[in-house]
Amino acid sequence: MMRSAVLALVLAATGASLAVAASPADTIAARQANFKKMGGAMKVIKDELAGGADKAKMVGAAKTIAAVARAQGPLFPKGTGPGAGVKTDALPAIWTDRATFDGHAKKLIAEADKLVAVAGSGNAAAVAAQFKAVGGTCGGCHKAFRADD
Amino acid sequence: MTEGKVGVWDVPVRLFHWSLLGLFCFSWWSGENHEMDWHRQSGLLVLALLLFRLFWGLAGSRTARFAQFLRGPGDVIAYARKAGDEHPTDGHNPLGGWSVAALLLVLLTLVGAGLFAVDVDGLESGPLADYISFDAGRQASEIHEIAFKAALALIGLHVCAIGYYQFLVGRDLVSPMITGKRELAPGESAEGVRWSPLRAAIGLAVIAALVWAVSKGFHFSSAGEV
């Protein structure tokens, strides 16, 4: 009984530490998948603005952006830059100018939340304007912190 | 007509050629500098030019027509063997004709992929990208990039070929593309090319309407401008 409890604790501890110390490759893959998710969601909104204007789809996509934006910050730990041996467009400036980078991330979350709020309004012009605002935060950060491909 | 010269390229062919060069450069510049509104506009104009050239390959003057300049492998090989010695060709030579076809094909692929391309942020996209998924749009971007490199390679080849004729054969191919006229070979008699402005106008009108519809993504009442 005692033994199995210890074993369980040890397993839990190692499991937790594994989660914390995900390899740089895993972290980079996770954040890239997230960026792709956001890109796909942006496209959904853009497409709806061009054609269907389906409110539910736009709200869903906006929520995806807002949720994923929140998950991104922790996925840029030290050691996951270009030196990690994995292909990444993340520039070293992220870690030398972290405050600015985090500022961009915060701004994205704020603008994405506003997009969620407006997406279901049926006011296409307002959605379009907020879509642009969100896009602006993407572009603003990418200009400074992502390698140009 | 000047003595000893004959019309070889009609006006639409020459306008097509130089506008295409200008727009290709502008598209390149605007793409590199993320001026995507300009890039889309420019790409649509390139699409219109290419469609017009396809039309003109059926309806243009004799040297503009595919039937005249796309020759069988026998002709191409025979020409390649004696390229420099031949007297000036009436229009595209058998080798150059296929180079034109290859350029048109690559540029159509380039523009066609661009219509569906999506950037990695889902922010910028071609006018038809909303008909396909994000992943498919990203693939279209890949094709766009590959076709661009292929186009650069073909343009490089094109310029080298012109340089070859200019400096090694001593035949000027650039002036005829500007003035429309080439030197007649001694004893050669050829008629100048003739073309119909009316046909050109009709083709242009239809293509303009089509490209306009493409630019709208075939959505004629949109919920909002993005």
Side-chain angles (χ1 to χ4, degrees):
Chain A
M1 184 67 192
M2 187 64 187
R3 251 188 206 171
S4 57
V6 170
L7 190 65
L9 267 175
V10 169
L11 278 176
T14 37
S17 69
L18 273 178
V20 169
S23 73
D26 289 343
T27 307
I28 290 169
R31 74 192 183 210
Q32 284 177 347
N34 278 346
F35 279 125
K36 257 192 97 177
K37 234 183 254 174
M38 284 197 277
M42 287 296 276
K43 182 175 182 298
V44 167
I45 296 173
K46 194 173 181 179
D47 293 351
E48 288 307 317
L49 284 170
D54 183 321
K55 283 183 211 167
K57 272 192 194 166
M58 291 200 281
V59 173
K63 280 185 175 161
T64 301
I65 296 165
V68 175
R70 287 181 163 77
Q72 286 300 70
L75 291 176
F76 286 88
K78 272 194 183 122
T80 60
V86 185
K87 199 195 170 311
T88 172
D89 288 334
L91 292 176
I94 293 170
W95 294 276
T96 56
D97 189 6
R98 188 71 197 209
T100 310
F101 180 76
D102 287 342
H104 280 297
K106 262 192 203 133
K107 202 164 164 242
L108 168 62
I109 293 169
E111 296 294 350
D113 282 344
K114 281 190 217 163
L115 186 59
V116 173
V118 83
S121 68
N123 181 347
V127 181
Q130 192 53 33
F131 174 87
K132 273 196 180 145
V134 173
T137 65
C138 301
C141 189
H142 290 162
K143 222 168 245 172
F145 295 106
R146 184 182 69 180
D148 200 359
D149 60 4
Chain B
M1 190 182 292
T2 324
E3 187 73 14
K5 290 205 166 195
V6 63
V8 63
W9 302 122
D10 64 31
V11 173
V13 163
R14 284 178 277 149
L15 278 178
F16 162 80
H17 177 272
W18 297 112
S19 322
L20 184 61
L21 173 62
L23 284 170
F24 183 86
C25 293
F26 182 74
S27 291
W28 187 0
W29 174 84
S30 55
E32 291 293 329
N33 290 286
H34 307 286
E35 296 283 351
M36 299 315 282
D37 282 326
W38 286 115
H39 190 71
R40 269 185 293 269
Q41 299 287 333
S42 179
L44 286 164
L45 287 175
V46 171
L47 174 66
L49 281 178
L50 293 172
L51 291 177
F52 180 81
R53 186 63 187 87
L54 292 184
F55 164 74
W56 209 234
L58 305 170
S61 64
R62 70 168 186 275
T63 55
R65 296 198 181 205
F66 298 127
Q68 197 254 16
F69 69 74
L70 295 182
R71 313 285 275 274
D75 285 359
V76 175
I77 293 166
Y79 180 82
R81 285 215 177 112
K82 53 177 183 179
D85 317 327
E86 279 274 286
H87 60 76
T89 319
D90 180 41
H92 297 295
N93 67 57
L95 204 53
W98 285 106
S99 151
V100 169
L103 259 170
L104 285 176
L105 206 66
V106 164
L107 290 175
L108 278 167
T109 308
L110 177 62
V111 169
L115 293 178
F116 292 94
V118 179
D119 77 333
V120 66
D121 305 320
L123 281 178
E124 301 288 354
S125 53
L128 301 182
D130 58 322
Y131 291 98
I132 61 172
S133 72
F134 180 68
D135 287 324
R138 293 298 299 142
Q139 270 176 346
S141 288
E142 298 283 319
I143 296 169
H144 192 60
E145 178 77 27
I146 293 165
F148 171 67
K149 285 178 182 150
L152 279 186
L154 285 177
I155 292 167
L157 197 65
H158 177 67
V159 171
C160 286
I162 291 163
Y164 166 78
Y165 282 101
Q166 186 83 45
F167 300 113
L168 296 176
V169 179
R171 188 181 306 157
D172 178 13
L173 297 184
V174 179
S175 306
M177 193 45 83
I178 298 169
T179 64
K181 294 187 172 72
R182 70 172 170 88
E183 305 274 350
L184 277 168
E188 184 193 4
S189 67
E191 256 185 78
V193 291
R194 272 195 291 263
W195 60 288
S196 153
L198 178 66
R199 263 193 222 166
I202 292 169
L204 208 56
V206 172
I207 287 161
L210 180 67
V211 171
W212 176 80
V214 168
S215 78
K216 297 274 167 198
F218 297 98
H219 300 294
F220 302 112
S221 57
S222 82
E225 282 300 318
V226 178

